[in-house]
Amino acid sequence: METFTFNTVELILLSAAGILFIIQLIYYFSLYNRIHLHNKAVGKEEETHFTRELPPLSVILCARNEAENLRKILPAILEQDYPQFEVIVINDASTDDTEDILGVMEEKYPHLYHSFTPKSARYISHKKLALTLGIKASKHDWLVFTETNCMPASNQWLKLMARNFTPQTQIVLGYSGYDRTKGWLHKRTSFDTLFQSLRYLGFALAGKPYIGIGRNLAYRKELFFQQKGFSKYLNLQRGEDDLFINELATSSNTRVETDFNATTRIQPVYRYKDWKEEKVSYMATAKFYHGIQRYLLGFETFSRLLFYIACIAGIAFGILNFHWLVAGIAFLIWLLRFTVQAVIINCTTKEMGGGRKYYFSLPVFDLIQPVQSLKFKLCRFFRGKGDFMRR
């Protein structure tokens, strides 16, 4: 009876694939599965304690040439099923019909207020200035933030966010995602946003919050003034959400709301350039994050790429040398990870209302995501060098 033996290269490739497979499983079960586990716990009314109080709150948005979005989205925010709230919109030097639309809506909705950023404002991010003006104008302690391209999934959005306003809570992180729309760009942006949510909300649910996203976010007004607003990073284009939360979020003062009816649905992106600019600007602030989280996420990305290399090399080496057992084992390791990944990601996107299933596209996006991140980082690096040389 002939015995099959592995040579040194085969042993190295299969051992590497196996070790990297275990590392990937640890990330998926301990981090990326957190939203699904949290939803199950809330459904069983276990390990989650909500408040029944519904304190008055202020919803703050800033708008820059967003007339069409305001027509569609503002009524959904203004007609929330919530006892006492105000909506403040800061018109950030818009040149379209934004001012007229806000004026007409204020006549219909007495709890809508709007103001504007001074035209003379320079040397400061207009968005930070707009949000600061909105916060100072707000009447209530709890502030809820979203953006003019984000539609609340239901009229229960504010109630579900507010059930987390316990006495110990100072920050509430919410989920935002894209509804299903046709097109390659939309599929790509949807997956990227989903994966980003699995990461930062997963860490928050694990008791290690490190950022928040302004599309669906709440915090106390006093927190803003204790931090002296956005003074620490006025020189940066972004940072009003992720860096602000990174400075202040702790395991004891931060909660996460993951009910589908509390999500905000992002309007489709039609131009790759717009999405790229947003990604690049967020990456510019990532290097300022405190905590080990971004290094752990970087290690996951690195181990993911090595896993693909080890599996593909094992399959190719086995086929080229007619060592079918080697090729089969390498493929089986990849298939097991793919199965775990598909189950966790599709369960989460189903619960969060994405309406999209990831099967054949999953390996493609799984590889594109770290590659595009590297591409955007390089773009940011060379853009920064160009800015430096021009100065």
Side-chain angles (χ1 to χ4, degrees), residues 176-218:
S176 57
Y178 289 90
D179 283 320
R180 184 170 183 175
T181 304
K182 294 181 179 180
W184 169 257
L185 177 60
H186 184 74
K187 291 178 182 178
R188 186 173 171 183
T189 55
S190 294
F191 182 82
D192 185 81
T193 302
L194 169 65
F195 205 76
Q196 181 188 42
S197 299
L198 293 176
R199 288 180 150 187
Y200 84 90
L201 294 180
F203 266 121
L205 290 167
K208 301 291 182 182
Y210 77 105
I211 64 167
I213 302 297
R215 293 169 178 153
N216 197 0
L217 173 68

Side-chain angles (χ1 to χ4, degrees), residues 21-92:
F21 169 69
I22 293 171
I23 292 171
Q24 285 288 298
L25 284 190
I26 292 171
Y27 275 94
Y28 270 90
F29 284 118
S30 65
L31 181 64
Y32 298 150
N33 199 33
R34 289 277 177 178
I35 294 177
H36 173 61
L37 293 177
H38 181 71
N39 286 333
K40 285 183 65 177
V42 171
K44 295 179 180 178
E45 298 183 353
E46 295 175 357
E47 303 175 7
T48 307
H49 303 284
F50 297 114
T51 180
R52 293 186 178 180
E53 297 181 10
L54 296 175
L57 55 82
S58 302
V59 181
I60 299 175
L61 307 89
C62 60
R64 186 179 181 88
N65 295 328
E66 297 281 358
E68 290 305 312
N69 279 338
L70 289 173
R71 278 196 187 95
K72 292 186 294 184
I73 289 167
L74 260 187
I77 296 175
L78 290 161
E79 295 170 10
Q80 286 287 302
D81 178 18
Y82 199 83
Q84 186 180 354
F85 72 103
E86 62 179 355
V87 177
I88 300 173
V89 181
I90 305 299
N91 182 3
D92 183 17

Side-chain angles (χ1 to χ4, degrees), residues 60 131-138 143 145 219 221 224-225 230:
I60 299 175
L131 290 174
T132 300
L133 292 173
I135 291 169
K136 287 184 176 181
S138 63
L143 311 174
F145 299 87
Y219 54 77
K221 189 175 182 177
F224 178 81
F225 291 111
F230 308 122

